[in-house]
Amino acid sequence: SAISACEKSNDWEKALQLFGAMSQIQLELDTITCNAAMSACEKGIEWERALQLFNVMERSNVESDTITFSALISACDKALKWEKALQLFQGMLLCEVEINTVALECAVGACEKGGEWRETLRLFGAIAIANW
């Protein structure tokens, strides 16, 4: 899609323009389109905009998946928002969304950058419990 092309070319502003245009002409949003827009924001370190898109997904009843959460957690990691990255990772566990390497590495990386080694230990504990 055009939004995916914007994401691949690191043009988050254009991706958001196209996403907004879709809403204005009332095209139905889907997970793939939302994920592409979020990934574009993640690459641009626009974590707040990525979270706004996540909120749009929730309001529109668009299903979030592993890619959704990975993009959000990565955006928060890059923006040094370790608390938000952890909150999203915990949300991923609660929603029983499959955890991938990207989400885990970004959540751990966010904790590391924030000097929060105890949170990293809690994170691994939560994963162990979830997989029990």
Side-chain angles (χ1 to χ4, degrees):
S1 77
I3 293 176
S4 292
C6 294
E7 179 236 333
K8 286 174 181 42
S9 66
N10 295 323
D11 193 349
W12 65 268
E13 291 171 315
K14 182 62 77 181
L16 289 182
Q17 287 174 355
L18 291 169
F19 188 86
M22 285 182 64
S23 298
Q24 287 178 347
I25 59 173
Q26 299 180 345
L27 286 177
E28 188 173 330
L29 299 176
D30 63 12
T31 304
I32 294 170
T33 302
C34 292
N35 285 349
M38 262 187 269
S39 292
C41 291
E42 174 259 330
K43 288 179 180 171
I45 314 175
E46 292 291 327
W47 69 278
E48 290 173 312
R49 293 180 193 267
L51 288 173
Q52 290 170 353
L53 291 172
F54 183 62
N55 291 332
V56 169
M57 281 181 78
E58 287 184 322
R59 284 193 310 270
S60 303
N61 295 318
V62 175
E63 186 175 340
S64 50
D65 62 10
T66 302
I67 295 168
T68 307
F69 281 97
S70 296
L72 288 168
I73 294 167
S74 178
C76 292
D77 173 32
K78 289 178 180 178
L80 305 177
K81 300 294 180 187
W82 69 268
E83 291 170 313
K84 194 64 179 171
L86 270 185
Q87 180 185 15
L88 289 161
F89 192 85
Q90 290 164 349
M92 192 175 190
L93 291 171
L94 289 172
C95 293
E96 298 181 353
V97 173
E98 183 179 337
I99 297 168
N100 67 358
T101 307
V102 173
L104 180 58
E105 286 179 358
C106 289
V108 169
C111 290
E112 178 188 351
K113 290 171 190 164
E116 297 294 330
W117 62 271
R118 285 185 181 98
E119 293 298 332
T120 302
L121 293 176
R122 284 191 196 113
L123 183 69
F124 284 114
I127 293 167
I129 290 168
N131 290 324
W132 179 254

